[in-house]
Amino acid sequence: MELRHLRAFVAVAEYGHYGRAAASLRLTQPALTQRIQTLERELGIQLFKRNAREVRLTPAGEAFIEHARGLVQAEDRALLALSDYASGILGRLRIAYLTLWDSGPPANIVAEFRRRHPAIQLETTSGYSQVNIDRLIAGETDFAFVGVAIGEHDGVAIRALDRHELVLVMAPTHPLMQMERVPIHCLRGVPMIAVSSSGVNAPLAAASVGWLTKYIGEPPNIIREEPPDQMSAALAQAGNAVAVITEHRAALARSDGLDYRPLSPTPLIEYGFAYVRDNTTPALASLLKTVEDVAPPMPDRLPADSEMIWPPRHGAAAD
């Protein structure tokens, strides 16, 4: 097998279209088709089903795609390392920050890494958890900060770094503001604005609704969904609606004329980082060592009257 044939296979699988895949590789469509046919002959299997409207992987293609993608990404990393060496760069690392996690461990880890390894060039981006995981799997980034609830993905390692309390945000005139701490069951029937799951962290959005349903005794009264960065504005306009967001972002929402109260039991979520396990570049290894030194593992035990939304745990505190 030649890597150029594998690269053609991965491109067609990702674009679902021979013409667009050929353009991405700067090939003619007949040349791309020939590479796919050569690969299929070498493997003795059909990789794609093709009709007038679309190109789909066969079951054999589905089984083979992750292996092919891994080989292509390994070649990309090797070529990037050679390019860095020729340019006098001792290493390059692509880091994706988490849009909703703008303080604490991420800043501390990256600052310490820069101090220890000033010759390694950092390229940074930012996105929600789903975007960051997609970039990681596609080989577009080496290390990503994510919400742990994004869940498991083949070949990807995830480790928690921090826990955040979720609180109830609302207008200062809302009746629930009269309580020092709001029991979850008091949210029955209360209009709520939920975080949009599209492109953010769908598993966490679903887990949050399930968690609220368990304590309210029925599904929460969600009147609409909004992206996290639009939540404050939406609440300010809604008047009688409430939302459950992290305490850090709830404090920022006070500048929009909102306020918040803690919940009972206290819902917790975890933020952490992710990387592809077979990425063995020295730059990533150095960053993982920095994480070890700067952010030791968190204790398993949770504070009293608190509960993880994801992964779900039973009881108020975990032993």
Side-chain angles (χ1 to χ4, degrees):
M1 286 186 299
E2 295 186 32
L3 280 168
R4 62 191 179 123
H5 297 155
L6 292 175
R7 192 174 292 277
F9 166 57
V10 170
V12 175
E14 290 179 348
Y15 284 95
H17 190 278
Y18 272 73
R20 289 192 289 270
S24 74
L25 297 175
R26 297 181 181 178
L27 294 172
T28 64
Q29 189 167 329
L32 178 71
T33 300
Q34 185 176 21
R35 291 188 183 186
I36 296 297
Q37 290 173 345
T38 300
L39 181 61
E40 289 180 326
R41 283 197 301 269
E42 289 178 348
L43 296 174
I45 56 174
Q46 183 181 351
L47 297 171
F48 293 107
K49 291 180 180 178
R50 185 178 181 181
N51 58 38
R53 292 179 300 173
E54 62 180 353
V55 179
R56 293 185 299 162
L57 289 167
T58 63
E62 292 279 4
F64 186 56
I65 184 61
E66 291 305 322
H67 300 286
R69 186 177 284 123
L71 291 170
V72 169
Q73 291 172 358
E75 183 191 35
D76 287 341
R77 288 194 293 267
L79 292 174
L80 184 60
L82 286 174
S83 175
D84 288 346
Y85 177 79
S87 303
I89 300 172
L90 297 184
R92 186 193 308 262
L93 200 63
R94 299 162 298 172
I95 297 176
Y97 286 102
L98 182 61
T99 301
L100 302 179
W101 192 14
D102 49 13
S103 63
N108 297 338
I109 288 167
V110 175
E112 177 61 16
F113 181 78
R114 288 184 186 275
R115 187 190 69 79
R116 294 185 184 188
H117 306 282
I120 295 179
Q121 181 173 319
L122 295 186
E123 296 177 0
T124 59
T125 56
S126 180
Y128 293 130
S129 293
Q130 187 61 59
V131 172
N132 285 353
I133 282 289
D134 290 343
R135 287 172 177 165
L136 198 65
I137 293 172
E140 297 170 1
T141 190
D142 302 300
F143 180 96
F145 292 105
V146 297
V148 173
I150 197 64
E152 296 182 357
H153 292 74
D154 288 344
V156 175
I158 297 180
R159 189 197 127 186
L161 288 173
D162 200 11
R163 290 185 185 128
H164 290 234
E165 177 181 346
L166 299 180
V167 297
L168 191 69
V169 183
M170 60 200 126
T173 55
H174 198 286
L176 292 177
M177 279 296 298
Q178 297 176 20
M179 301 183 182
E180 288 298 316
R181 194 173 193 89
V182 180
I184 302 290
H185 66 80
C186 291
L187 298 180
R188 176 177 291 189
V190 175
M192 298 187 70
I193 298 178
V195 173
S196 172
S197 60
S198 177
V200 181
N201 191 330
L204 178 58
S208 299
V209 172
W211 192 85
L212 288 169
T213 300
K214 178 177 72 172
Y215 282 99
I216 294 174
E218 64 184 33
N221 180 22
I222 297 174
I223 58 174
R224 70 175 190 261
E225 296 182 349
E226 297 286 349
D229 54 359
Q230 297 299 314
M231 188 68 73
S232 295
L235 283 170
Q237 294 295 324
N240 66 335
V242 301
V244 176
I245 62 177
T246 62
E247 185 175 18
H248 172 67
R249 298 195 73 83
L252 297 177
R254 281 176 166 162
S255 64
D256 292 318
L258 302 171
D259 209 340
Y260 67 93
R261 287 288 184 265
L263 291 161
S264 179
T266 302
L268 301 174
I269 60 172
E270 290 181 330
Y271 289 153
F273 66 90
Y275 63 95
V276 176
R277 289 191 178 92
D278 65 2
N279 184 347
T280 58
T281 59
L284 178 60
S286 297
L287 178 56
L288 295 178
K289 178 63 169 64
T290 301
V291 173
E292 260 184 57
D293 297 340
V294 173
M298 294 182 301
D300 287 335
R301 186 172 181 82
L302 302 180
D305 194 38
S306 65
E307 187 174 325
M308 293 296 302
I309 285 182
W310 181 281
R313 300 182 184 182
H314 300 290
D319 292 329

